[in-house]
Amino acid sequence: MLYLEPFEATENFLDSFNVGTTPLVSLLFQSGYLTIKRLSEGGSTYILDYPNYEVRTAMAQYFLSIFIETDVDQAQLFASKLKDAFKIKNITKIVTLIKETFVQVPYSIHILEESFYHGLLHTLFIAAGLKVYSEYMTSHARIDMVVVLSSVNYVIELKFNQSAEKALAQIEDRKYYEALQYQNKPIILLGLNFHRKPHEFEITYASKEIL
């Protein structure tokens, strides 16, 4: 997937600096965009993370601008609109904005796997300043994505070249939402299907709100 975290590196890797060939993670660390979070369990590598929410969001917007081949300002505009749509539970607008972003990704780098769209969606949500969790683990299931806002939670299941209805049915059949019900706020169950064929790209959705 295209997740932008966590990062892992050895001490020598972090200290490396050669003009023109410095690895990106090393460069981000040396410039202050990444900080040491902890040592790995074995103690041989460092686990790195962004120093704060603002830096994480800014980096996601930067990487998003690269993928959709636009400037950072345009990526920020997309991200802002997406966050607003999540806040007001406008599912149609959410899916429209996701598609508007994804169709700008050059076809040559599309990978015909669910994980590619999952990773790109995760990056888009971080860029929007959303609190998003991928592969969210519960006592009896693993949810593709959970998006947490102050007034509503989203449980999202993704499919590739299948159907949004199948994705929604999976959420309901496996009761993915149960782990969030204690928070006493609405939960949007959202099934997304990414349809990709030669010269075709579409995103369909099926949703349901529960308390």
Side-chain angles (χ1 to χ4, degrees), residues 2 52 66 99 146 179 188 190:
L2 304 173
N52 54 51
I66 293 174
K99 183 179 178 182
V146 171
I188 304 294
L190 178 59

Side-chain angles (χ1 to χ4, degrees), residues 10 31 36 39 42 51 60 71 74 79 82 84 98 103 106 133 136 155 164 166 170 180 194 199:
T10 64
S31 59
I36 294 173
L39 277 172
D71 57 52
Q74 188 67 24
L82 182 62
D84 288 343
I98 291 172
V103 295
Y133 304 92
Y136 187 92
V155 176
K166 181 177 181 179
Q170 183 173 320
L180 302 173
F194 296 90
H199 311 297

Side-chain angles (χ1 to χ4, degrees), residues 31-92:
S31 59
Y33 285 97
L34 292 176
T35 186
I36 294 173
K37 185 175 182 181
R38 67 178 187 277
L39 277 172
S40 64
E41 191 172 318
S44 58
T45 58
Y46 293 105
I47 306 301
L48 309 176
D49 200 356
Y50 300 105
N52 54 51
Y53 166 85
E54 290 77 15
V55 172
R56 175 182 281 107
T57 301
M59 289 303 299
Q61 291 173 350
Y62 172 72
F63 283 115
L64 179 63
S65 72
I66 293 174
F67 276 107
I68 65 177
E69 295 191 337
T70 189
D71 57 52
V72 175
D73 289 341
Q74 188 67 24
Q76 290 174 339
L77 180 61
F78 271 117
S80 178
K81 290 180 179 179
L82 182 62
K83 187 171 186 178
D84 288 343
F86 266 98
K87 286 180 178 179
I88 63 174
K89 299 187 288 187
N90 189 335
I91 310 301
T92 300

Side-chain angles (χ1 to χ4, degrees), residues 116-140:
F116 171 79
Y117 297 98
H118 190 159
L120 189 54
L121 195 62
H122 185 97
T123 301
L124 177 59
F125 288 174
I126 293 176
L130 294 167
K131 188 180 291 185
V132 55
Y133 304 92
S134 282
E135 307 294 348
Y136 187 92
M137 303 293 289
T138 71
S139 63
H140 59 283

Side-chain angles (χ1 to χ4, degrees), residues 4 6 21 28 66-67 73 101 104 115 119 123 135 154 158 187 193:
L4 305 181
T21 61
L28 290 173
I66 293 174
F67 276 107
D73 289 341
T101 304
Q104 296 181 67
S115 60
T123 301
E135 307 294 348
Y154 290 79
L158 309 177
I187 302 173
N193 179 63

